[in-house]
């Protein structure tokens, strides 16, 4: 308390202020009063050190400017031009405006600073200005700069030279002010910074020291320099996350040795011979990875990624057989009853010749059936059970659970996945996902998992004809759908919402189902499936569609998760711009399962921006390429929330943009933990502090003693 008071007095009284350190509260900084301190706190800045870590979002420089002739009223622009005339003009209301006319190769633009006549003293004819702000109408086009840099008379502006850092700002705390605050402290603070990353790690990554990086991001000579600094900060984040992942993995493995399965090749070889097809190269490779995990003494913790239709189910079945032939039980959990039933049907058919009958456990089963299934699980009988979340309910217990498989794993929360694992002592775990993301990204998101990729589709797939049609083609599209129905095929019609909302004119599924049934599809059997139906109601509708008792299924995205209706040949999607690319891809994956031609039609007029996005989808059936584009367009946060993946949010790093750094960060993290698993060496103290200060998980993972 008394220390605070002294510091305050010094500041006010003009005495010798204590030197600013990284831990100095921002309130003690020149130019920061209580009000600004409050605003800074909103940005997460409470100390001088925080201020230093407040990194610009982007930069403006001569390479990003707009030709002045193209600056339109209503736009926010950054321009570069030489002052050819200037002056202060009074307005009728007594406000004085400093005005200048700037020129670049494209033409002239007037610039006005209301209430800032003093600029007349610092801005001269001949000076080159880099300005950004809104263009408005004020006796013609006029730029009202939010901020600007005077590059002086000599600067041609083309050499890169000065760069404008744009900071994440907040109301009342504009980027310009933040730049001033940072700039004022930079020289005093940088020498105080010690780099928390070990020299060996910095060298391996080829990135600058933290202090140098911070100078580069805050006061770059060029955008390229700024990027070098940013890369250092991004690397640090990626490296820290890898440290957490690798450490968690290490602890989990060493703490809990798993089952050492033996690859007996009895059931698996028999199944291979029974299959009506041969496994793809990717399936063989992935199976080898899985079997290697299962036969090691450590627990498997593996994510199997594969595009829709890449044949994950059969891979899961082989893994289950390995468990069974070692006298263990294997459980496959699916997100819907229908999907669980579908898997059981597939398994029953394939395994019948081997004399194996898989068990099923869902909430929908009758009490007697359920009891019978539960009794089988509770016994030590080796078996394969497929089920819904009924598998993780308290009442369900396993006699000898050795392998846990989670299908469409993103449909389950972390808790549910953990709950299933907890049904066994140390079961091996295989998670399956149909949103394929690049391996290095998977390593960031699910870093404590090993990752297998099923990057090849079974042969003989007929491509799905994908088209984008305007509203004016609606009648023709519907006629086409009818020709498919005429030859006995079925169709999906998908809408983004279920009821007409006040704000939009979106065609709602409920309303459209009625309209279609009475209109273009009069005489057809039209079914409706949406998210507000109860689970068993949904299943009933899907079952009817599967049994061909429904011709046209009008639906929201609840059909996204993998049900196989081979007779369905059309996927018609309304308001396609409302869907993410990966979502569209999942929807498209619902057709094309019968071997005949099938169609995915995006119907409706969309904005040029949306059209560009949808064209990516139309042009490829590669789920990996689509997921990548989706991530780039929507950002990682949308696709992988913290809850889902446990992924900490990054301040600087962008796993997609910084993808190339991820394997480097991972290798460096691995090498470091090999030398010092708990980071207890004195020279790793700063890194340890960084980790525990920044990540809650680190407190547990790097506990001392
Ligand atoms: P997903 O990866 O989307 O879960 P599935 O496992 O449902 O895909 O497989 C899709 C279809 O492909 C199934 O009908 C399955 O029998 C079939 N299939 C799987 N592997 C092969 C293969 N190697 N050759 C031919 N068909 C295959
Ligand atoms: Mg599947």
């Amino acid at each position: 308390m008394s220390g605070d008071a002294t510091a305050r007095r010094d500041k006010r009284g003009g005495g010798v202020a204590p030197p600013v350190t990284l831990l100095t509260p921002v309130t003690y900084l020149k130019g920061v009063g209580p009000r600004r301190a409050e605003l800074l706190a909103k940005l997460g800045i409470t100390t001088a050190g925080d201020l230093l870590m407040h990194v610009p979002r982007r930069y403006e420089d001569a390479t990003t400017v707009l030709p002045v002739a193209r600056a339109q009223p209503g736009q926010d622009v950054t321009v570069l031009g030489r002052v050819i005339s200037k002056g202060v003009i009074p307005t009728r209301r007594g406000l004085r405006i400093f005005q200048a006319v700037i020129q670049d190769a494209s033409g002239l633009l007037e610039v006005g600073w209301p209430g800032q006549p003093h600029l007349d003293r610092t801005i001269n004819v001949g000076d080159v200005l880099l300005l950004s702000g809104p263009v408005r109408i004020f006796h013609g086009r006029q730029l009202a700069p939010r901020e600007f840099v005077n590059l002086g008379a000599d600067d041609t502006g083309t050499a890169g030279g000065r760069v404008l850092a744009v900071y994440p700002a907040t109301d009342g705390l504009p980027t310009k002010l933040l730049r001033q605050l940072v700039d004022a402290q930079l020289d005093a603070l940088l020498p105080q910074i010690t780099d928390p990353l070990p020299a060996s790690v910095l060298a391996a990554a080829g990135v600058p020291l933290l202090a140098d990086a911070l100078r580069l991001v805050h006061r770059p000579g060029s955008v390229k320099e700024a990027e070098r600094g940013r890369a250092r900060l991004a690397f640090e984040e990626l490296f820290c996350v890898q440290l957490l992942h690798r450490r968690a993995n290490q602890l989990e493995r060493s703490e809990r040795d798993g089952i050492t399965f033996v690859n007996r090749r009895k059931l698996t070889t028999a199944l291979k011979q029974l299959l009506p097809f041969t496994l793809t190269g990717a399936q063989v490779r992935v199976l080898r990875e899985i079997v290697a995990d299962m036969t090691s003494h450590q627990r498997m913790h593996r994510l199997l990624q594969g595009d829709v239709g890449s044949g994950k189910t059969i891979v899961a079945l082989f893994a289950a057989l390995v468990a069974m032939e070692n006298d263990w039980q294997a459980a496959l959990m699916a997100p819907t009853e229908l999907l669980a039933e579908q898997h059981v049907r597939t398994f029953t058919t394939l395994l019948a010749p081997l004399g194996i009958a898989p068990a099923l456990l869902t909430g929908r089963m009758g009490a007697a059936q359920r009891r019978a299934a539960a009794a089988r699980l509770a016994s030590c009988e080796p078996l394969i059970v497929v089920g819904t979340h009924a598998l993780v309910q308290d009442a369900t217990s396993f006699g000898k659970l050795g392998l846990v498989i989670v299908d469409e794993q993103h449909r389950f929360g972390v808790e549910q996945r953990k709950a299933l694992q907890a049904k066994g002592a140390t079961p091996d775990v295989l998670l399956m996902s149909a949103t394929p993301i690049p391996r290095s990204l998977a390593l960031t998101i699910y870093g404590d998992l090993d990752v297998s990729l099923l990057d090849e589709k079974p042969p003989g797939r007929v491509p799905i004809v994908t088209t984008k049609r305007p509203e004016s083609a609606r009648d023709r599209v519907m006629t086409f759908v009818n020709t498919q129905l005429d030859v006995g095929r079925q169709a999906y019609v998908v809408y983004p919402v279920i009821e007409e909302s006040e704000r939009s004119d979106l065609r709602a599924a409920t309303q459209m189902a009625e309209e279609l049934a009475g209109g273009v599809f009069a005489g057809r059997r039209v079914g409706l499936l949406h998210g507000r139906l109860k689970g068993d109601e949904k299943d009933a509708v899907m079952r009817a569609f599967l049994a061909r008792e429904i011709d046209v299924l009008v639906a929201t995205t609840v059909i996204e998760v993998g049900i196989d209706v081979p007779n369905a040949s059309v996927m018609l999607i309304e308001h396609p711009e409302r869907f993410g690319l990966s979502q569209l891809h999942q929807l498209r994956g619902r057709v094309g399962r019968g071997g005949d031609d099938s169609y995915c039609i995006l119907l409706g007029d969309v904005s040029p921006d949306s059209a560009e996005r949808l064209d990516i989808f139309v042009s490829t059936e590669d789920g990996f390429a689509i997921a990548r584009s989706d991530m780039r367009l929507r950002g990682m946060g949308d696709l992988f929330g913290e809850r889902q993946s446990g992924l900490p949010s990054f301040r600087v790093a962008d796993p997609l943009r910084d993808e190339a750094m991820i394997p480097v960060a991972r290798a460096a993290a691995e090498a470091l933990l090999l030398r010092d698993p708990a980071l207890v060496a004195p020279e790793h103290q700063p890194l340890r502090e960084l980790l525990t200060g920044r990540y809650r998980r680190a407190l547990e993972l790097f506990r001392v003693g």
Side-chain angles (χ1 to χ4, degrees):
M1 264 318 266
S2 68
D4 289 4
T6 320
R8 277 249 171 255
R9 211 173 309 123
D10 283 348
K11 189 174 157 188
R12 288 215 202 99
V16 183
V20 174
T21 73
L22 294 167
L23 295 177
T24 302
V26 283
T27 35
Y28 296 163
L29 301 180
K30 196 162 163 285
V32 182
R35 169 95 188 102
R36 279 187 182 164
E38 224 170 85
L39 292 169
L40 284 166
K42 263 203 218 166
L43 295 171
I45 302 168
T46 57
T47 65
D50 293 341
L51 195 57
L52 217 54
M53 294 309 291
H54 193 64
V55 173
R57 187 204 318 274
R58 62 190 168 83
Y59 300 89
E60 304 279 16
D61 79 341
T63 61
T64 60
V65 299
L66 190 75
V68 296
R70 299 220 332 251
Q72 294 303 322
Q75 271 182 327
D76 214 291
V77 301
T78 297
V79 296
L80 181 80
R82 194 178 290 279
V83 177
I84 57 164
S85 69
K86 64 160 191 170
V88 174
I89 53 164
T91 64
R92 247 175 285 146
R93 277 183 291 153
L95 187 72
R96 295 204 300 156
I97 303 183
F98 175 66
Q99 281 190 352
V101 174
I102 60 162
Q103 180 176 42
D104 71 3
S106 72
L108 304 175
L109 181 65
E110 190 176 273
V111 186
W113 286 266
Q116 300 191 55
H118 60 273
L119 287 174
D120 196 26
R121 291 197 298 272
T122 49
I123 295 178
N124 298 309
V125 170
D127 284 352
V128 173
L129 305 181
L130 177 63
L131 314 111
S132 69
V135 182
R136 50 181 198 174
I137 298 284
F138 184 80
H139 311 300
R141 280 185 320 152
Q142 189 183 74
L143 174 68
R146 211 176 16 257
E147 49 190 335
F148 73 97
V149 194
N150 190 342
L151 301 174
D154 310 327
D155 206 312
T156 57
T158 47
R162 290 290 296 277
V163 180
L164 242 157
V166 182
Y167 287 87
T170 181
D171 267 352
L173 207 58
T175 184
K176 179 175 166 185
L177 192 71
L178 283 161
R179 192 182 316 120
Q180 284 166 357
L181 287 174
V182 173
D183 205 62
Q185 305 303 333
L186 203 59
D187 293 322
L189 290 177
L190 286 181
Q192 301 178 34
I193 289 187
T194 43
D195 201 310
L197 300 190
S200 60
V201 172
L202 291 171
V207 291
L209 282 168
L210 181 55
D212 296 334
L214 288 171
R215 184 183 299 281
L216 291 174
V217 297
H218 290 300
R219 222 183 257 164
S222 66
V223 171
K224 216 168 158 185
E225 271 189 23
E227 170 52 28
R228 270 216 314 136
R230 192 202 65 85
R232 160 63 182 74
L233 303 178
F235 175 80
E236 181 181 298
E237 287 184 332
L238 296 169
F239 175 69
C240 286
V241 166
Q242 287 302 327
L243 276 177
L244 299 182
H245 284 325
R246 299 324 293 163
R247 176 68 176 159
N249 192 304
Q250 213 177 46
L251 287 178
E252 200 159 302
R253 280 172 184 232
S254 61
E255 273 174 21
R256 313 237 323 244
D257 272 1
I259 304 159
T260 309
F261 295 98
V262 176
N263 189 9
R264 300 191 194 282
R265 294 198 175 83
K266 278 187 341 218
L267 297 175
T268 47
T269 305
L271 176 63
K272 233 172 256 171
Q273 282 155 3
L274 286 168
L275 282 182
F277 47 75
T278 48
L279 295 178
T280 63
Q283 282 171 321
V284 171
R285 190 191 67 235
V286 159
L287 258 173
R288 211 178 289 136
E289 291 166 0
I290 290 170
V291 172
D293 280 0
M294 291 182 72
T295 52
S296 98
H297 68 279
Q298 290 173 329
R299 294 179 69 179
M300 169 163 72
H301 204 195
R302 185 169 286 276
L303 174 73
L304 170 56
Q305 294 197 109
D307 206 347
V308 240
S310 58
K312 293 184 288 293
T313 318
I314 205 78
V315 171
L317 180 58
F318 273 101
L321 287 181
V322 173
M324 257 190 90
E325 58 189 14
N326 282 269
D327 294 332
W328 287 90
Q329 298 175 328
L332 170 64
M333 183 162 70
T336 66
E337 312 215 316
L338 217 59
L339 197 55
E341 288 172 20
Q342 179 179 295
H343 286 330
V344 149
R345 254 195 316 274
T346 308
F347 293 177
T348 304
T349 314
L350 287 170
L351 299 179
L354 302 177
I356 298 172
L360 174 70
L361 188 73
T362 68
R364 183 175 161 271
M365 287 162 55
Q369 271 180 307
R370 237 180 123 154
R371 256 197 310 277
R376 273 188 82 187
L377 303 193
S379 78
C380 289
E381 175 198 351
L383 54 75
I384 297 173
V385 60
V386 182
T388 55
H389 54 271
L391 288 171
V392 301
Q393 274 157 12
D394 288 344
T396 312
S397 73
F398 289 82
K400 211 184 167 197
L401 182 61
L403 174 66
V404 161
I405 305 168
V406 182
D407 193 18
E408 309 283 350
Q409 61 92 24
H410 64 284
R411 287 283 167 141
F412 295 96
V414 178
E415 298 310 315
Q416 282 171 310
R417 302 193 299 238
K418 287 255 156 72
L420 184 57
Q421 290 170 43
K423 294 284 178 185
T426 57
D428 278 9
V429 177
L430 179 65
L431 305 175
M432 305 204 287
S433 160
T435 303
I437 57 175
R439 178 188 291 270
S440 55
L441 288 179
L443 294 181
T444 309
I445 295 163
Y446 316 99
D448 50 352
L449 299 178
D450 294 303
V451 179
S452 287
L453 286 187
L454 216 45
D455 51 6
E456 181 186 345
K457 287 206 187 167
R461 288 282 154 84
V462 185
I464 299 162
V465 181
T466 306
T467 52
K468 191 171 95 227
R469 308 303 309 276
E471 192 56 40
S472 58
R474 176 171 296 273
D475 288 349
R476 263 170 294 152
V477 167
M478 292 304 179
T479 304
F480 171 77
V481 176
N482 266 317
T483 61
Q484 287 288 302
L485 300 176
D486 283 341
V487 297
R489 307 302 296 269
Q490 290 160 282
Y492 297 95
V493 180
V494 175
Y495 292 89
V497 287
I498 68 153
E499 268 158 36
E500 198 83 16
S501 80
E502 291 161 44
R503 297 180 278 107
S504 72
D505 61 350
L506 291 181
R507 295 159 179 281
T510 31
Q511 194 198 325
M512 284 314 291
E514 281 166 32
E515 254 182 71
L516 292 173
V520 282
F521 298 133
R524 312 277 186 196
R525 295 161 304 176
V526 177
L528 174 64
L529 191 69
H530 59 70
R532 299 216 188 145
L533 292 178
K534 292 206 196 74
D536 49 348
E537 293 170 329
K538 270 185 217 163
D539 273 8
V541 176
M542 267 325 285
R543 246 176 268 283
F545 191 57
L546 190 57
R548 301 197 189 184
E549 290 156 15
I550 289 175
D551 302 307
V552 180
L553 184 58
V554 177
T556 59
T557 45
V558 286
I559 53 155
E560 203 187 305
V561 161
I563 220 66
D564 226 344
V565 182
N567 191 51
S569 64
V570 179
M571 171 60 66
L572 174 64
I573 302 172
E574 299 266 7
H575 294 283
E577 76 280 6
R578 287 291 173 127
F579 297 92
L581 294 183
S582 295
Q583 231 178 344
L584 290 173
H585 185 61
Q586 294 286 324
L587 288 171
R588 175 166 58 186
R590 298 301 109 223
V591 296
R593 303 198 150 227
D596 290 325
D597 282 351
S598 42
Y599 307 87
C600 178
I601 307 167
L602 310 181
L603 183 57
D605 294 333
V606 300
S607 71
D609 274 358
S610 296
E612 210 171 292
R613 194 169 65 90
L614 295 176
D615 282 338
I616 299 174
F617 169 73
V618 172
S619 70
T620 179
E621 267 194 71
D622 178 351
F624 289 81
I626 287 169
R628 195 181 273 272
S629 304
D630 208 15
M631 273 182 274
R632 190 170 299 126
L633 293 165
R634 283 202 292 165
M636 301 284 293
D638 249 28
L639 280 163
F640 308 99
E642 173 143 20
R643 191 194 65 80
Q644 209 280 115
S645 61
L647 175 75
S649 45
F650 293 109
R651 287 167 50 114
V652 180
D654 171 350
L656 201 63
R657 176 171 165 193
D658 299 321
E659 197 180 336
M661 273 196 264
I662 294 171
V664 182
R666 188 174 169 88
E670 228 153 48
L672 182 63
L673 291 182
L674 215 56
R675 278 183 281 135
D676 185 6
L679 301 180
V680 290
E683 69 268 28
H684 296 149
Q685 193 57 29
L687 177 57
R688 215 192 146 70
E689 273 165 24
L690 170 71
L691 287 167
T692 49
R694 199 186 280 171
Y695 307 95
R696 215 157 16 102
R697 253 175 96 203
L699 289 170
E700 221 174 285
L701 292 171
F702 294 98
R703 203 169 18 206
V704 197

